[in-house]
Amino acid sequence: AVEKEGENTMDHQEKTVLLKNGKPCLLRQAEESDAEMLVEYLKTTSGETPYMLREPEEVQISVEEEVDFIRRNREDPRALHLLAFVDGVFAGSCSFNGAERNRTRHRCTVGISLYRAFWGLGVGTALLEDILNTAGTVGYEQAELDVVSTNAPAVALYQKLGFETTGTIPRAFKYKDGTYADFLFMVKGLT
């Protein structure tokens, strides 16, 4: 975090990493100009998989609301929203943020999603490694996330990066067809 115009802000340097297939992947902080792209991304990714919180039609955020969200996120020295681009194409995003209460300020919540076309290439690993490193650097001691229990690739990725399952929320999702999915609550120490 750095001091800008009298307030703390997150200043994350962009970087390029190589993926499993040798392609470069640019990681950079979300910018206000990304808002329209991110709203469409939320709608698309919500329809590509049963693992997202919303149905595509439930994504009702306006571009203006997304601009405001990005601005607030960039101004928060204890939050980060990273975007990944492969060959110049937007592939996915990952973020962390934390609580304001003193007793929980040591914990952050992590979220990640990718377009289906970019699954399995190492984009998720690159995003999460950067996010977890930065979260530890700004003072978080513990990262937390929840994941649909049947999302085996995501669970395996989180375990590979040191997350442990600490609990289950049975029937956390109820789908349109009447079936359910459980959530796993996963935690990783950052210190």
Side-chain angles (χ1 to χ4, degrees):
V2 296
E3 208 52 44
K4 283 186 182 174
E5 297 176 20
E7 64 181 276
N8 282 328
T9 59
M10 174 64 70
D11 183 28
H12 185 274
Q13 298 300 309
E14 72 178 40
K15 67 175 78 168
T16 301
V17 298
L18 287 181
L19 300 176
K20 293 178 187 177
N21 61 7
K23 289 189 176 192
C25 177
L26 173 70
L27 304 178
R28 69 162 173 82
Q29 197 169 4
E31 300 170 357
E32 291 177 30
S33 60
D34 297 318
E36 186 173 350
M37 175 186 74
L38 288 168
V39 170
E40 287 307 310
Y41 162 74
L42 286 172
K43 291 176 184 175
T44 301
T45 55
S46 293
E48 285 187 327
T49 170
Y51 306 129
M52 299 290 285
L53 184 60
R54 302 178 185 126
E55 296 286 347
E57 64 272 13
E58 293 178 304
V59 178
Q60 298 293 320
I61 188 168
S62 70
V63 172
E64 294 77 21
E65 289 168 324
E66 184 68 11
V67 166
D68 186 54
F69 173 78
I70 293 167
R71 182 180 306 118
R72 283 182 284 122
N73 192 280
R74 288 184 67 95
E75 291 171 353
D76 186 341
R78 291 176 41 91
L80 178 61
H81 185 188
L82 278 184
L83 308 183
F85 296 84
V86 179
D87 286 336
V89 177
F90 178 49
S93 74
C94 189
S95 64
F96 70 79
N97 57 44
E100 294 301 315
R101 305 227 187 290
N102 288 334
R103 293 182 180 180
T104 57
R105 283 183 60 81
H106 66 290
R107 299 165 48 203
C108 68
T109 302
V110 174
I112 182 171
S113 61
L114 305 175
Y115 280 117
R116 183 180 280 276
F118 295 95
W119 291 4
L121 300 177
V123 176
T125 300
L127 281 166
L128 279 167
E129 286 177 344
D130 197 338
I131 282 287
L132 294 170
N133 181 55
T134 304
T137 299
V138 299
Y140 290 109
E141 299 172 27
Q142 181 169 296
E144 304 169 0
L145 56 81
D146 53 41
V147 59
V148 175
S149 62
T150 56
N151 188 350
V155 172
L157 170 60
Y158 304 147
Q159 288 172 335
K160 176 180 87 171
L161 294 177
F163 281 87
E164 296 180 7
T165 300
T166 60
T168 303
I169 303 172
R171 296 164 53 125
F173 273 4
K174 183 175 182 180
Y175 296 109
K176 290 179 180 179
D177 67 2
T179 60
Y180 296 91
D182 297 345
F183 270 0
L184 302 178
F185 186 72
M186 301 184 79
V187 176
K188 173 185 173 59
L190 300 175
T191 57

